[in-house]
């Protein structure tokens, strides 16, 4: 659903440099209104919590029917995203 390659949006937006990016801010992706209006910047903690329970972080997101992953798996994914895209 996602890529870490900059500009490579798929069903979901690319996750290149997601840590530190304002939620719903890529100009070339059609986010849900809820994500566009989320009003926060993705950090490690917020991403992990979103991957565990997306609706608790951004109700009305387009991740349906994704139901979440374990906290351990989410932490591994975020570590990968930070490494793959050179995020802090």
């Amino acid at each position: 659903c996602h890529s870490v390659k900059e500009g490579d949006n798929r069903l979901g937006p690319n996750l290149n440099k997601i840590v530190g990016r304002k939620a719903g801010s890529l100009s070339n992706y059609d986010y849900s209104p809820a994500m566009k209006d989320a009003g926060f910047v993705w950090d490690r903690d917020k991403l992990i919590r979103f991957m565990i329970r997306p609706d608790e972080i951004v109700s009305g997101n387009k991740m349906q029917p994704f139901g979440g992953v374990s906290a351990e798996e989410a932490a591994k994914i975020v570590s990968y995203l930070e490494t793959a895209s050179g995020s802090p």
Side-chain angles (χ1 to χ4, degrees), residues 35-87:
M35 190 62 76
K36 287 179 187 176
D37 296 337
F40 62 81
V41 172
W42 290 112
D43 61 20
R44 182 176 180 80
D45 178 65
K46 187 80 73 175
L47 279 167
I48 289 171
R49 292 185 311 142
F50 184 75
M51 284 187 235
I52 295 168
R53 290 202 161 93
D55 286 334
E56 288 184 10
I57 303 302
V58 181
S59 181
N61 67 74
K62 290 168 69 172
M63 293 277 288
Q64 307 309 327
F66 177 74
V69 297
S70 70
E72 181 180 340
E73 192 67 23
K76 289 177 184 178
I77 293 167
V78 173
S79 291
Y80 168 77
L81 292 173
E82 290 173 325
T83 301
S85 61
S87 295

Side-chain angles (χ1 to χ4, degrees), residues 9-27:
N9 298 320
R10 298 179 182 193
L11 183 57
N14 79 76
L15 301 178
N16 183 272
K17 298 181 182 174
I18 184 70
V19 176
R21 182 193 306 162
K22 184 179 183 297
S25 66
L26 287 179
S27 61

